[in-house]
Amino acid sequence: MDIYKNFKFKEDETPKYVQVANYIKNLIDKRKIKEGDKLPTIRDLSKKLGVNNVTIVSAYNKLKLEGYAYQKVGSGSYAKRKEVASSLRKEYSNALKKISTEDLEKVIDFTGETTGEILFPIDDLKTIINEVLERDGAKALFSDNRNGYERLIATINKVFWNDKLKNEDVIIVSGAQQGIDIASKGILNINDNIIVEKPTYVGALSVFKWRKVNLFEVPIEEDGVNLDKFEKILQKNEIKCFYTMSYFQNPTGISYSLEKKKRILELAEIYDFYIIEDDYLSELIYESSLEYIPFKWLDKKDRVIYIKSFSKIFLPGIRLGYLIAPTIFRETLQNSKHNTDITTSSLMQRALESYISGEKWKNNIKNLNDEYIKRYNCMKDLLNKDFKDILVYKEPKGGLNFYITLRENFKINTTELFTRLKKRKVYITPGAMFFTVQDQGQDSFRISFYQTNEAKIKKGLTILKEELLLLKEPHK
């Protein structure tokens, strides 16, 4: 069927190219033109509509500018469905807001989004802050370097990187989310092409969609993305960067094998793209078979923008982290940071420096690992015992999450499961949150033990099983 045959120009002041663009947008929104469908060539559409080529070129440029189309070099223009804030995202956001107003003792938060429980030793924090104020006085409240507190940068380099970095390449940021935002603003333009894992972190998706880039998804396997599909995208498209979480990927919990990291770095050099590495919770490794070697350690060609957050391992609510910029992007990313918020809290940077240089962080990391491995094993044992006929998952061997997929005979919409559970004050994260298209991931969900002790894990999983069986029962 020719979907353009009913198009007629209106006799008003609206330019013809705008009318054409609006008509195509409407077709995309109604899914009469699907995501990834090739649009007619400029010559074919101009002939069909009886206008000159310039009109169609202008219409396609408008579509690209507004995020409804993207260009493949040497191939033409393709439809891109503009993401609209879904009812699920609104419902999920409102649910998180509601959690914060409730008695957290009565809530079972498997989303890991609240901060009702803080395992960091608060007395240590008080001591550190008092020592910093006593030592530095009023200076502690003022930043002397827009890229970050120089002693903190030097300490990060020494403790975590054996002084192998250039201090000027390190930028202190207000958590990983700001790091992703700064990297995105610094290197991505409208309609640039980037690759993301499928599924992937919802916060990164939000940043990239805001930048109006073209997202290419590659399915994630047991040891990282599918390399065959990854390289096919590289062969057909000019890719600017690849966003990855190398350890305990959010949401799947997958960690990359050394072989895949090395190959992706080789591909970055061959196809001239950069890697944004979001190093997520790599301190929380529970099994010795998993070795810590991030992309950045292997990066010989300066292809990796490395982002690290201390928010989960230092103190929730205090947003601190750092970004390592490739030399070619150093100034651009520094400017991106300065344009975002000028500087990050000087007092907390100094407190973090004292925390790391005094090696108190080592004891805290050990204590966190001791506690979280108990929760990890508790959740894993219950999933294996009580849910073996209902769901499957891959053991993450660390981190704070399990990513659950329902078995074929238990295909239940997990968005509906989320809605039912929240009425019983149990909160999960539906799988659809982690995909660019909202009708994907409906058979999966993520559960976190970051804010749930063993008693809450047992109670919450009991309620989860009850609701799964109730949802399944009508289909028997």
Side-chain angles (χ1 to χ4, degrees):
M1 185 179 74
D2 186 353
I3 57 176
Y4 298 95
K5 69 178 182 179
N6 294 325
F7 176 77
K8 288 184 173 54
F9 287 107
K10 297 176 182 177
E11 296 296 330
D12 59 24
E13 296 181 357
T14 306
K16 287 185 177 181
Y17 81 91
V18 174
Q19 293 186 48
V20 173
N22 288 342
Y23 182 74
I24 296 175
K25 283 196 294 185
N26 187 49
L27 292 173
I28 294 171
D29 285 338
K30 291 182 177 179
R31 302 199 183 188
K32 292 182 179 179
I33 298 177
K34 296 178 181 178
E35 176 100 11
D37 281 357
K38 187 174 182 179
L39 299 177
T41 65
I42 293 166
R43 179 181 297 176
D44 286 349
L45 192 55
S46 64
K47 184 177 179 181
K48 191 182 295 286
L49 301 183
V51 294
N52 60 38
N53 288 354
V54 174
T55 299
I56 305 304
V57 169
S58 298
Y60 281 4
N61 284 339
K62 180 175 173 61
L63 289 171
K64 292 168 193 170
L65 187 64
E66 295 180 7
Y68 277 91
Y70 61 94
Q71 181 84 29
K72 285 188 180 181
V73 178
S75 179
S77 297
Y78 291 77
K80 177 182 174 186
R81 188 163 65 83
K82 188 174 174 68
E83 188 70 33
V84 180
S86 68
S87 57
L88 171 60
R89 293 190 189 281
K90 289 180 181 178
E91 185 181 1
Y92 185 76
S93 177
N94 289 336
L96 296 183
K97 291 176 185 175
K98 185 179 179 182
I99 294 177
S100 64
T101 64
E102 293 187 5
D103 181 355
L104 292 178
E105 286 298 316
K106 298 178 181 178
V107 167
I108 298 175
D109 174 25
F110 284 143
T111 71
E113 302 283 357
T114 60
T115 53
E117 178 188 64
I118 296 175
L119 298 181
F120 185 88
I122 298 298
D123 288 341
D124 277 1
L125 180 64
K126 291 178 183 176
T127 300
I128 289 169
I129 289 177
N130 286 335
E131 288 174 352
V132 167
L133 289 171
E134 184 71 25
R135 182 192 72 197
D136 299 342
K139 288 183 188 176
L141 306 177
F142 301 99
S143 176
D144 56 1
N145 184 348
R146 293 199 301 171
N147 296 331
Y149 179 46
E150 290 181 358
R151 280 179 60 170
L152 174 58
I153 290 173
T155 296
I156 287 171
N157 193 358
K158 178 181 178 182
V159 173
F160 301 121
W161 297 91
N162 296 321
D163 284 325
K164 292 180 180 177
L165 303 176
K166 299 174 184 175
N167 285 354
E168 57 266 33
D169 288 341
V170 179
I171 303 170
I172 302 300
V173 296
S174 300
Q177 185 69 23
Q178 188 188 64
I180 297 167
D181 185 60
I182 287 167
S184 179
K185 288 176 180 175
I187 71 170
L188 296 176
N189 298 310
I190 292 174
N191 284 318
D192 275 347
N193 298 324
I194 76 167
I195 296 177
V196 297
E197 297 151 340
K198 180 181 181 181
T200 193
Y201 170 48
V202 65
L205 285 178
S206 297
V207 170
F208 298 140
K209 287 172 183 175
W210 185 255
R211 295 298 296 167
K212 296 181 180 178
V213 299
N214 303 315
L215 295 173
F216 292 82
E217 297 176 290
V218 180
I220 195 161
E221 302 175 326
E222 291 199 353
D223 63 344
V225 290
N226 181 306
L227 287 183
D228 288 339
K229 293 182 179 180
F230 188 83
E231 188 162 7
K232 283 178 182 176
I233 291 174
L234 294 171
Q235 289 168 349
K236 295 178 181 179
N237 303 275
E238 188 176 334
I239 297 298
K240 191 71 170 284
C241 74
F242 167 48
Y243 169 75
T244 180
M245 306 180 87
S246 49
Y247 282 86
F248 315 125
Q249 193 260 3
N250 188 0
T252 65
I254 295 296
S255 297
Y256 276 70
S257 65
L258 182 60
E259 291 74 22
K260 282 199 173 177
K261 289 175 194 167
K262 288 180 177 178
R263 180 56 182 159
I264 289 169
L265 283 164
E266 288 175 357
L267 292 172
E269 190 66 16
I270 294 168
Y271 292 98
D272 191 22
F273 67 89
Y274 288 84
I275 298 166
I276 299 176
E277 180 179 16
D278 185 354
D279 186 0
Y280 177 70
L281 299 179
S282 56
E283 295 79 8
L284 302 179
I285 294 176
Y286 309 140
E287 296 186 20
S288 58
S289 61
L290 194 58
E291 188 178 8
Y292 178 61
I293 305 175
F295 278 93
K296 192 62 185 176
W297 280 18
L298 304 167
D299 183 23
K300 307 300 183 188
K301 303 291 185 178
D302 214 18
R303 287 277 169 184
V304 178
I305 300 169
Y306 176 89
I307 298 168
K308 181 69 186 175
S309 173
F310 292 111
S311 299
K312 287 279 197 299
I313 58 171
F314 179 43
L315 187 65
I318 294 178
R319 311 297 299 175
L320 280 175
Y322 66 97
L323 179 154
I324 303 173
T327 302
I328 190 174
F329 291 129
R330 180 196 299 159
E331 186 175 350
T332 301
L333 294 178
Q334 287 174 351
N335 289 337
S336 179
K337 162 63 178 174
H338 304 160
N339 291 335
T340 300
D341 68 355
I342 302 177
T343 189
T344 300
S345 168
S346 177
L347 176 60
M348 296 318 301
Q349 286 189 68
R350 291 165 190 257
L352 178 59
E353 191 281 327
S354 178
Y355 173 62
I356 295 172
S357 63
E359 298 197 341
K360 288 186 176 180
W361 67 279
K362 289 184 178 178
N363 287 332
N364 191 45
I365 293 299
K366 181 182 182 303
N367 292 336
L368 288 177
N369 272 274
D370 289 346
E371 175 58 29
Y372 287 137
I373 197 169
K374 291 178 190 174
R375 300 182 186 189
Y376 172 83
N377 286 327
C378 175
M379 186 170 277
K380 182 176 72 171
D381 291 345
L382 287 170
L383 290 173
N384 291 341
K385 176 185 173 185
D386 297 336
F387 293 83
K388 61 183 179 181
D389 297 326
I390 298 174
L391 53 83
V392 294
Y393 69 93
K394 178 170 187 309
E395 292 185 22
K397 300 182 181 179
L400 296 170
N401 307 313
F402 283 84
Y403 188 65
I404 306 300
T405 302
L406 297 173
R407 290 187 180 275
E408 282 293 331
N409 64 333
F410 234 96
K411 290 302 181 187
I412 288 166
N413 188 316
T414 55
T415 300
E416 184 180 355
L417 177 65
F418 161 74
T419 302
R420 290 175 65 109
L421 284 171
K422 73 176 184 176
K423 293 177 181 177
R424 299 184 67 178
K425 299 189 184 301
V426 176
Y427 296 85
I428 63 170
T429 307
M433 296 289 294
F434 305 104
F435 291 81
T436 59
V437 179
Q438 290 297 299
D439 57 2
Q440 295 180 332
Q442 297 289 0
D443 62 344
S444 63
F445 59 95
R446 188 194 68 188
I447 48 177
S448 169
F449 47 88
Y450 175 52
Q451 290 292 315
T452 51
N453 56 30
E454 290 177 75
K456 283 191 172 185
I457 289 171
K458 292 173 183 176
K459 182 178 179 181
L461 290 185
T462 298
I463 294 171
L464 171 63
K465 186 173 182 180
E466 289 172 1
E467 289 300 328
L468 281 168
L469 293 174
L470 286 170
L471 277 169
K472 172 68 173 174
E473 191 170 353
H475 304 292
K476 288 182 178 179

